[in-house]
Amino acid sequence: MPVSTANSRVIFDALKAVDIRLVSALPETWLVHLIRMSEDDPEMTLVRLAKEEEGVGISAGAHLAGTKSAMLMQNHGFLASINGIVSCAQLYKIPLLMLISYRGDLGELDPWQTQGGLATLPVLRALGIPTYPLADPATVPKMIRQAQALAESALTPVALLLTRDLMWEEPS
Amino acid sequence: MTPSPTVLANPHTERMRRADALTVIYPHLAGDDVIVVTIMGAVAVELFALGHRPSFFYLEHAMGLASSMGLGIALSLPRARVVVIDGDGSLLMNLGTLSTLARYRPANLTHVVFDNESLLSVGGFPTATSTGTDLAGIATASGVPSVVRADTLDVFSGAFATALASDDLTTIVAKVAAIGPTSFAMDLPLLENRFQFWRQCRKLAARAAMDGP
């Protein structure tokens, strides 16, 4: 499977480095390695969800109880979580680090991913959520560190878009 | 075909009152190591009226997520005893939470569902539990290890004390009358509640750290 194991490791190590200790996730192709790494690491608690919006509540509870957490989800999972993001995370000023696989953008071959791809950035903007693409593995640790710093100081959700350039290795 | 009534045909005033059920368990909720998360509406107002504590968090929106918050807290503070007070309308919005709770089975979580068969706070519109949906049955089928139906004050009080003291996840479903307070006003801004609750959780975490593993 051409999902990048090496770049998944860079992302996972960067999450560990900022003391993320709980990850909630719903599987999607680009996230398989990250989910497996979260499951295999005894210092990380992985919560597998039925629907992504649950993860907003879990992260809010974890934050109030002193645990740093992150959500791993596809952009369609983000779209499915919006009320939770607005009326739990934003209303209650919860720092919520969201790693969102950015399907349906440049190079997408699956037609069913494209409508959500088109909607993702406009919806994030409409919600006023600081949003940054992750594309270059060399900058990932710093971007994750800075995103978590902003989430905690501004008490806001922050979205990091996991792009095809970062997550997918085209077969040569 | 007969259309469903737009308001609950029978508020079941003969049933246990939620306010009375909260009164009998309040001494437990006020325990030093107990954390409480409630949904919005009548139950929040009734618990607040019994006496607010910094360990009480009232989720004033985000319907369905109180139990998810409880899971996040229970996993983060394994020494605390976490009580989620849910309702039929909220739980029906997030039935998947029962499968997630059952999957991670936090030993320190007690999940109370007051089922008044209606969305009381918005005018008493009937929920699917009024036409036979069985939340205790769904909890059992989702894999929640201990599920109790508690429809009288005595049974509820005993079931709650047992669940709180036990080392396993319990869901208690209590049928209650569809009656609530006359006013839903609470003299507690939601962000004040949020930061106060966060500080209280920090105290519990610090105490647990001092006690050692």
Side-chain angles (χ1 to χ4, degrees):
Chain A
M1 187 186 293
V3 181
S4 172
T5 309
N7 289 346
S8 298
R9 173 56 66 184
V10 170
I11 296 165
F12 183 77
D13 288 347
L15 293 174
K16 288 285 301 282
V18 293
D19 297 324
I20 302 292
R21 290 296 177 267
L22 188 151
V23 163
S24 66
L26 209 77
E28 92 107 2
T29 310
W30 290 11
L31 300 174
V32 289
H33 298 312
L34 275 167
I35 292 172
R36 193 168 303 129
M37 288 167 192
S38 303
E39 183 159 49
D40 289 346
D41 189 324
E43 288 183 345
M44 194 69 90
T45 298
L46 171 67
V47 182
R48 295 177 183 269
L49 306 169
K51 191 175 179 185
E52 290 85 351
E53 191 180 7
E54 291 174 64
V56 180
I58 290 167
S59 277
H63 168 72
L64 294 176
T67 297
K68 295 183 200 292
S69 71
M71 293 181 69
L72 297 177
M73 58 190 163
Q74 196 191 73
N75 43 356
H76 295 82
F78 158 72
L79 292 171
S81 306
I82 288 173
N83 183 52
I85 291 166
V86 171
S87 56
C88 182
Q90 291 186 311
L91 184 66
Y92 279 99
K93 308 285 282 178
I94 303 293
L96 179 67
L97 188 64
M98 300 186 291
L99 278 74
I100 300 171
S101 61
Y102 190 24
R103 302 301 304 269
D105 197 46
L106 273 181
E108 181 64 62
L109 294 174
D110 296 339
W112 51 89
Q113 304 288 11
T114 55
Q115 199 63 41
L118 291 170
T120 301
L121 275 175
V123 172
L124 282 161
R125 283 204 193 96
L127 297 177
I129 295 176
T131 301
Y132 307 91
L134 296 186
D136 176 4
T139 65
V140 162
K142 184 178 178 186
M143 293 287 291
I144 286 181
R145 192 166 66 243
Q146 293 186 330
Q148 180 65 11
L150 178 63
E152 289 184 10
S153 60
L155 298 174
T156 179
V158 173
L160 295 175
L161 298 177
L162 307 178
T163 62
R164 178 175 299 270
D165 279 351
L166 184 70
M167 303 309 291
W168 197 254
E169 290 170 345
E170 297 298 339
S172 49
Chain B
M1 191 176 141
T2 313
S4 302
T6 52
V7 291
L8 199 64
N10 182 0
H12 289 292
T13 52
E14 78 286 0
R15 285 184 181 162
M16 173 165 72
R17 289 170 184 243
R18 185 188 45 249
D20 294 338
L22 286 170
T23 302
V24 298
I25 64 170
Y26 185 81
H28 293 291
L29 302 181
D32 263 356
D33 61 342
V34 175
I35 292 281
V36 182
V37 178
T38 78
I39 59 167
M40 68 191 303
V43 68
V45 176
E46 289 168 353
L47 179 62
F48 185 79
L50 287 173
H52 175 64
R53 294 179 59 88
S55 51
F56 294 174
F57 182 80
Y58 316 93
L59 181 60
E60 294 290 352
H61 213 321
M63 277 183 74
L65 293 189
S67 53
S68 304
M69 284 192 69
L71 176 59
I73 295 167
L75 292 172
S76 301
L77 293 174
R79 300 281 185 89
R81 291 183 291 168
V82 180
V83 177
V84 172
I85 305 182
D86 216 334
D88 51 306
S90 285
L91 185 54
L92 285 165
M93 281 198 192
N94 183 15
L95 284 174
T97 193
L98 289 168
S99 63
T100 307
L101 289 177
R103 190 172 197 171
Y104 294 96
R105 201 171 168 168
N108 56 337
L109 184 65
T110 300
H111 181 211
V112 175
V113 185
F114 286 124
D115 179 5
N116 62 13
E117 303 183 356
S118 74
L119 294 161
L120 182 70
S121 308
V122 292
F125 297 93
T127 67
T129 63
S130 75
T131 52
T133 296
D134 172 8
L135 292 173
I138 294 172
T140 301
S142 299
V144 174
S146 173
V147 179
V148 185
R149 296 172 201 266
D151 297 339
T152 66
L153 272 180
D154 279 352
V155 172
F156 179 75
S157 174
F160 185 82
T162 302
L164 198 62
S166 84
D167 281 327
D168 212 347
L169 169 67
T170 304
T171 293
I172 301 171
V173 179
K175 288 278 185 185
V176 292
I179 47 178
T182 49
S183 163
F184 286 91
M186 282 168 60
D187 183 16
L188 182 67
L190 59 86
L191 287 181
E192 183 178 353
N193 181 211
R194 174 247 191 267
F195 285 106
Q196 188 183 58
F197 181 80
W198 172 69
R199 284 197 183 283
Q200 180 65 20
C201 288
R202 282 212 309 194
K203 273 190 207 167
L204 284 184
R207 197 193 305 159
M210 272 172 53
D211 290 347

